[in-house]
Amino acid sequence: MKTACLFYLLLSLRCVCGETLLFVDDHEILYRSGTRRQMHVPKRHAGNPLVVGPTVKNQAGYNSVHRDPETGRFQMWYQLSGKDTAVCYAESADGIVWNKPELDVVAHPGITDRNVVLDSVEQYGASVVVDAPGGDPERRYKMAYWSIPHAVPEAEAGKDPRGKNGGMFVAFSADGIHWNKQPGPVLRGAYGRMSEPPKVGEEHDFGVHSSVSDVLDAMYDPLRKKYVVYAKAWIDAPDGMTYWKRAIVRTESDDFLKWSLPQLVMAPDEFDGVRPADYPGTRRGVQLHGAPAFLHHGVYFALVQVADFETHGLQPIELATSRDGIAWQRPFRSTPFMGTVENGNGFDASRIFSNATPVVLDDEMRFYYAGAENPWQFGRRENEWGSKKRMPKTGIGLAMLPLDRFAGVKPLEKLGQMTLKPRPLGGIKGLTLNADAGGGAVRVELLDERGYRLAGFSKADAVPITGDGLRHEVKWKRADLSKLPVPEMKVIIRIHLDNAEAFALTLRDL
């Protein structure tokens, strides 16, 4: 566990010697004057989709990607759904051109590709966590997935047979190819029809907001030293009936086998219920279909799958943030992080399935995702797909974001400034700013804890930062951080923006 913790902590601090402060929220900011925050959208690869199923009848869905930090080798696990459901495997040297190896590990008669590595009954998900070398080699690769392994007579108690034995299952592997399924489920699931909540003593029927459902996304949290799964769940309706709208729960584990009682952490609210405005307070409107999460520079990010099942049937991705992985904020609802195109015809025109495994490189972040051309089958295009005039496009695609540029702070007009919270700079050798000053300039000044300017570090003393760069060196004309009056003193960093945008500040200790 300690080895895994160190591995994932190093990944979260990749290419950084010191601490990076992201300006995606105001956690590090004391106040801002004359500024606004703008989310940035990743650019989709021109060659999308990079991976497709063997036939148009096999829709690609949930997926995970791992890049070995030593070799640079990419591995991908993706679900194929439809009449035949399985987890398939692909690999790549550069993350762009993917190979489907002929493995013949699992024989699946309905899938012609020979890269199937795991199949199950009514399976959903291919969420993989990879530990660092040094732990149990037979369990280095860990997968969480949903399955309903046993059929139940439909007449039994009038229940929906699909939900009776479903739940979260896990599997382990030494290489990511040969998987050993564990007995399960490790968490029982909720997947049924609307009814009154079960009574105490009827726990086998499960309260739907304290159990998982059929969308599961696993991660390792190096700050809490826990494996974590964010899963789809359900909240009850205004009249108290179950299975009203989809929401997100969180569960954690030390060993990937024994999991805590799922905790509700994200649910649709009144701002979701009024989209579109014709359906306030009803089941129609946005639901949270999934929220795969990852940790980057001390910030938890969730790529929330916001789905409107009963109107247009689209599912774009919304960016949410948290500082503890439990209390979440959704500040960017007006603009999708990865959008869909109603009435479009691309492979990702209607539904996007995000994952918890972005790949962080030196200068960019890669977000692999699955896309589907057809909407959820409740929308205005149901007749087109239902008539089977043609099968919808699907596949795995890639979107790229410049390093750490989830959101930037920029002036409302021409000038603005950010005043950061006081902090000691002892041991810090320099500051590096991720900023776009292509049409203006940025100046950084230092103040003491009371807000008085430090001699040699004022705005007038600052060397202007110009141009667009991920690692601008912060400099002053006649001083550097070694000239601070008292190295251990708390210092306020103020960033002056003149027609420029700042994304992150790195405090370098080397």
Side-chain angles (χ1 to χ4, degrees):
M1 181 64 73
K2 290 182 180 179
T3 304
C5 174
L6 177 61
F7 175 67
Y8 284 99
L9 186 59
L10 289 174
L11 284 183
S12 71
L13 299 176
R14 180 181 173 85
C15 301
V16 174
C17 298
E19 181 182 6
T20 295
L21 314 179
L22 299 179
F23 300 145
V24 70
D25 59 15
D26 284 343
H27 182 77
E28 305 288 351
I29 299 172
L30 185 64
Y31 68 91
R32 297 184 281 122
S33 298
T35 63
R36 64 184 177 91
R37 179 172 284 111
Q38 177 176 302
M39 187 193 72
H40 284 244
V41 175
K43 180 180 180 180
R44 302 188 193 193
H45 195 275
N48 283 345
L50 304 181
V51 179
V52 297
T55 71
V56 293
K57 294 183 179 181
N58 300 115
Q59 284 208 332
Y62 308 103
N63 59 98
S64 296
V65 174
H66 171 67
R67 178 180 182 270
D68 189 303
E70 298 297 327
T71 66
R73 171 174 170 256
F74 289 77
Q75 296 175 286
M76 177 189 292
W77 301 265
Y78 60 98
Q79 173 200 308
L80 286 182
S81 62
K83 181 179 179 181
D84 301 288
T85 303
V87 175
C88 296
Y89 173 82
E91 55 191 17
S92 173
D94 60 3
I96 305 299
V97 179
W98 290 87
N99 171 50
K100 298 178 182 179
E102 296 187 357
L103 301 172
D104 291 331
V105 173
V106 176
H108 199 298
I111 297 176
T112 56
D113 285 347
R114 296 161 64 184
N115 62 333
V116 177
V117 293
L118 188 144
D119 64 354
S120 186
V121 179
E122 286 274 354
Q123 178 184 305
Y124 299 97
S127 189
V128 176
V129 175
V130 184
D131 291 341
D136 184 346
E138 296 303 313
R139 295 189 173 187
R140 186 184 177 204
Y141 292 79
K142 298 171 170 62
M143 182 188 299
Y145 62 98
W146 169 273
S147 184
I148 305 176
H150 305 296
V152 175
E154 182 140 15
E156 182 182 331
K159 300 275 195 320
D160 182 345
R162 296 194 304 168
K164 190 66 177 177
N165 293 288
M168 184 172 87
F169 288 73
V170 299
F172 298 112
S173 173
D175 57 7
I177 296 173
H178 302 85
W179 291 90
N180 295 312
K181 298 178 184 178
Q182 301 301 299
V186 295
L187 276 177
R188 291 288 300 276
Y191 192 56
R193 296 172 178 166
M194 296 185 74
S195 65
E196 292 185 357
K199 296 178 181 178
V200 174
E202 299 176 342
E203 281 81 0
H204 62 280
D205 286 331
F206 264 74
V208 293
H209 61 265
S210 60
S211 60
V212 299
S213 193
D214 59 340
V215 180
L216 304 162
D217 293 285
M219 65 169 287
Y220 182 78
D221 186 338
L223 299 184
R224 294 179 179 271
K225 301 180 182 179
K226 301 282 187 181
Y227 296 101
V228 175
V229 164
Y230 290 91
K232 185 184 91 175
W234 300 84
I235 57 174
D236 297 342
D239 61 1
M241 299 292 279
T242 60
Y243 299 100
W244 182 55
K245 280 193 174 185
R246 296 157 178 86
I248 304 300
V249 293
R250 177 188 180 277
T251 177
E252 64 183 28
S253 172
D254 291 319
D255 60 4
F256 218 74
L257 287 170
K258 298 177 182 177
W259 293 85
S260 65
L261 181 71
Q263 172 188 5
L264 186 70
V265 295
M266 203 182 307
D269 56 27
E270 67 271 25
F271 301 105
D272 293 317
V274 297
R275 284 190 285 166
D278 295 338
Y279 307 104
T282 72
R283 194 173 190 267
R284 296 188 177 188
V286 166
Q287 301 185 48
L288 309 184
H289 184 251
F294 58 93
L295 180 68
H296 184 66
H297 292 319
V299 182
Y300 295 85
F301 292 91
L303 303 181
V304 187
Q305 300 165 21
V306 287
D308 194 327
F309 293 85
E310 299 190 7
T311 51
H312 49 62
L314 302 181
Q315 181 175 286
I317 301 303
E318 177 187 301
L319 185 67
T321 64
S322 174
R323 286 289 172 165
D324 62 5
I326 297 173
W328 289 89
Q329 293 76 44
R330 298 170 57 199
F332 306 113
R333 299 194 199 194
S334 61
T335 304
F337 186 65
M338 298 175 65
T340 58
V341 182
E342 188 172 8
N343 298 320
N345 59 5
F347 85 102
D348 53 359
S350 293
R351 289 183 290 155
I352 297 176
F353 298 89
S354 50
N355 64 46
T357 55
V359 174
V360 181
L361 302 177
D362 290 343
D363 292 336
E364 72 176 9
M365 304 185 73
R366 293 185 177 182
F367 299 91
Y368 293 89
Y369 66 96
E373 182 183 19
N374 58 314
W376 292 107
Q377 297 303 312
F378 298 100
R380 288 168 290 185
R381 297 166 65 190
E382 179 179 2
N383 291 336
E384 176 185 346
W385 304 117
S387 65
K388 298 184 179 179
K389 294 179 180 178
R390 66 178 179 87
M391 294 300 295
K393 301 172 185 175
T394 183
I396 308 291
L398 167 63
M400 299 158 291
L401 187 74
L403 184 68
D404 297 343
R405 292 196 172 186
F406 294 97
V409 174
K410 61 194 308 183
L412 285 168
E413 295 180 0
K414 186 175 185 295
L415 299 178
Q417 62 95 349
M418 284 188 292
T419 297
L420 306 190
K421 295 175 182 177
R423 60 168 52 238
L425 293 182
I428 300 302
K429 306 301 183 184
L431 304 176
T432 304
L433 188 68
N434 186 334
D436 182 359
V442 181
R443 294 173 174 84
V444 179
E445 71 176 345
L446 303 183
L447 304 89
D448 70 11
E449 194 171 5
R450 304 170 300 166
Y452 290 88
R453 291 174 293 168
L454 295 176
F457 295 94
S458 70
K459 176 182 177 182
D461 296 315
V463 175
I465 292 172
T466 59
D468 186 359
L470 300 175
R471 300 174 186 87
H472 293 288
E473 193 74 23
V474 175
K475 297 180 180 180
W476 295 269
K477 297 173 184 175
R478 290 174 293 276
D480 57 48
L481 295 183
S482 67
K483 303 288 179 38
L484 287 175
V486 181
E488 294 77 20
M489 70 182 294
K490 285 191 174 182
V491 173
I492 291 175
I493 302 172
R494 176 171 287 170
I495 301 172
H496 290 274
L497 303 168
D498 181 354
N499 197 32
E501 184 174 12
F503 300 89
L505 180 71
T506 297
L507 287 65
R508 296 186 290 103
D509 54 15
L510 292 178

